[in-house]
Amino acid sequence: MNAMQKNILIITALILFFTANLCAEQQTAKYIEEDCEVNIIFNDAFTPGNPNFVRMRIETPKNIKGSQEFNKSAVLRLILNDKSVEKCSFYKPLKSIPYKNKKYQATELMAATAGSPWYGKGNYSLKITFTFAENQEREIILPLTYTPRKWNEEILYLDEVNTAIKTDNSKQRQQQIEKLNEILYTQNTEDVFSCEKYICPTTSSRYTAWFGDRRTYKYSNGKSSTSLHYGNDYGIPEGSIVRACAKGKVVLAEWRNSTGWSIVIEHLPGLYSLYYHLSEMKVKEGDMVNQNQEIALSGKTGLATGPHLHWEMRLNGNAVMPEFFFENYSFEDIEY
């Protein structure tokens, strides 16, 4: 029997059970083979701009060779119309769901794809692949239901100063963009700092712009451009306290031409929070911060039409809706 025939047999041998759990978007799935059982919790609605988190536990007999090696090879992919559009590695969560079967051993992993806010209608699914037991690759497909999202549209009129910032194509700005992108596309599976619900970094509830806004910039020279707004803007007085939304590591704290004084915090592999247009920073690169810790004061530095805090979340490089993390996104304290 060749490798392709083996792979087909492995896939067709899987048994899948779906059950609703707590809400329509949260599902559990179970896959059973002779040498392992895989239990999964995931959110099955694909909404542009929302992450899709997957938490899985693989149970294997203790005498199976290499049964713990799958955590090094487990990969999650977002599939759009049969094409892989995003890939990330699994990592171990901070807190595992209790497991009591003494005859088997279990390893628990978690991963998430971002789902760019640019994505539109299509056929979406999640594909899990992992290898263990004589290097046999296993494949699991989790179907997703597409849920559309309506985006706001706004027009911003820029004065000469902000027009110059927005249209700045200098080498310095390009280097700043490249540095930030290198950080945001980094997935270090050892950097697991927080799986708890997030908090808003400001006590203000006055939004001046929303995640996903379709923006048209009107320049002082009569020209214009369009772009997507990647975070939430809160209209707060200059000097207001800005707090860390969750525990993590400060990976950037510096001046940027377009975003002024800026802070980026890593929370999970590939998951970062960003805080822009600050007037003062209270942390430096390399610092560990706790949830609710004061990290900065708000301002209007960089490209800003007035005092505000821009708060943004990035997952695997893609902007995602910050409010998504106010809920139990990591499925902690939920049974498989």
Side-chain angles (χ1 to χ4, degrees), residues 10 12 43 69 77 80 88 137 149 177 201 208 243 265 290 297 310 321 325:
I10 291 169
T12 55
N43 49 308
E69 293 300 309
R77 290 178 174 84
L80 169 58
C88 59
E137 184 174 88
R149 168 173 276 150
I177 292 172
T208 56
R243 301 184 183 278
I265 301 174
N290 293 316
L297 299 179
H310 174 97
M321 192 169 200
F325 297 92

Side-chain angles (χ1 to χ4, degrees), residues 184-204:
L184 298 180
Y185 282 93
T186 297
Q187 301 173 16
N188 188 338
T189 56
E190 300 299 318
D191 291 351
V192 183
F193 301 121
S194 174
C195 295
E196 63 190 335
K197 295 180 183 179
Y198 285 21
I199 62 169
C200 186
T202 174
T203 57
S204 174

Side-chain angles (χ1 to χ4, degrees), residues 12 20 36-37 54 64 75 79 86 98 104 122 168-169 189 227 229 238-240 243 248 283 299 307:
T12 55
C36 72
E37 179 175 309
V54 174
I64 295 292
V75 173
I79 307 299
E86 190 177 337
Y104 284 72
D168 178 11
N169 292 317
T189 56
S227 66
H229 190 236
E238 187 170 359
S240 300
R243 301 184 183 278
V283 294

Side-chain angles (χ1 to χ4, degrees), residues 123-136:
N123 295 316
Y124 293 89
S125 62
L126 297 171
K127 181 165 75 171
I128 301 170
T129 56
F130 62 94
T131 302
F132 85 104
E134 299 181 354
N135 297 320
Q136 292 182 345

Side-chain angles (χ1 to χ4, degrees), residues 54-285:
V54 174
R55 190 169 182 135
M56 72 172 180
R57 182 175 67 205
I58 298 187
E59 305 169 15
T60 57
K62 293 184 177 181
N63 61 352
I64 295 292
K65 182 179 179 181
S67 59
Q68 294 295 301
E69 293 300 309
F70 76 91
N71 62 312
K72 298 179 181 179
S73 64
V75 173
L76 178 66
R77 290 178 174 84
L78 175 64
I79 307 299
L80 169 58
N81 299 329
D82 298 322
K83 181 181 179 181
S84 175
V85 293
E86 190 177 337
K87 173 185 175 181
C88 59
S89 298
F90 278 85
Y91 52 89
K92 293 185 178 181
L94 289 172
K95 181 181 177 182
S96 294
I97 297 171
Y99 179 71
K100 299 179 180 179
N101 191 333
K102 295 182 179 180
K103 294 183 179 180
Y104 284 72
Q105 56 189 349
T107 299
E108 195 167 358
L109 298 175
M110 186 165 71
T113 59
S116 169
W118 288 113
Y119 291 159
K121 186 176 182 180
N123 295 316
Y124 293 89
S125 62
L126 297 171
K127 181 165 75 171
I128 301 170
T129 56
F130 62 94
T131 302
F132 85 104
E134 299 181 354
N135 297 320
Q136 292 182 345
E137 184 174 88
R138 317 298 169 102
E139 181 178 293
I140 298 171
I141 302 295
L142 302 172
L144 301 177
T145 302
Y146 173 76
T147 303
R149 168 173 276 150
K150 186 176 181 180
W151 306 101
N152 295 319
E153 296 183 7
E154 63 173 346
I155 300 175
L156 270 69
Y157 294 89
L158 304 183
D159 59 17
E160 290 185 6
V161 173
N162 281 322
T163 294
I165 294 174
K166 180 63 178 174
T167 58
D168 178 11
N169 292 317
S170 66
K171 182 178 180 180
Q172 182 187 51
R173 188 184 180 209
Q174 291 303 315
Q175 289 174 337
Q176 291 172 353
I177 292 172
E178 290 171 5
K179 179 179 179 179
L180 179 62
N181 284 338
E182 184 177 354
I183 291 172
L184 298 180
Y185 282 93
T186 297
Q187 301 173 16
N188 188 338
T189 56
E190 300 299 318
D191 291 351
V192 183
F193 301 121
S194 174
C195 295
E196 63 190 335
K197 295 180 183 179
Y198 285 21
I199 62 169
C200 186
T202 174
T203 57
S204 174
S205 58
R206 186 170 77 88
Y207 287 75
T208 56
W210 288 265
F211 164 77
D213 285 355
R214 270 50 181 171
R215 281 186 166 178
T216 299
Y217 290 94
K218 298 287 187 178
Y219 301 143
S220 60
N221 58 14
K223 296 181 180 181
S224 65
S225 68
T226 59
S227 66
L228 186 75
H229 190 236
Y230 286 145
N232 291 332
D233 285 351
Y234 300 91
I236 53 179
E238 187 170 359
S240 300
I241 293 176
V242 177
R243 301 184 183 278
C245 63
K247 183 179 180 179
K249 180 180 180 180
V250 178
V251 292
L252 184 144
E254 64 185 28
W255 173 270
R256 304 183 70 249
N257 291 10
S258 58
T259 59
W261 292 113
S262 307
I263 293 174
V264 178
I265 301 174
E266 180 186 24
H267 303 287
L268 289 172
L271 181 62
Y272 302 86
S273 61
L274 299 80
Y275 312 80
Y276 288 165
H277 311 297
L278 308 170
S279 63
E280 184 179 343
M281 300 189 300
K282 304 278 190 177
V283 294
K284 64 183 184 301
E285 186 174 326

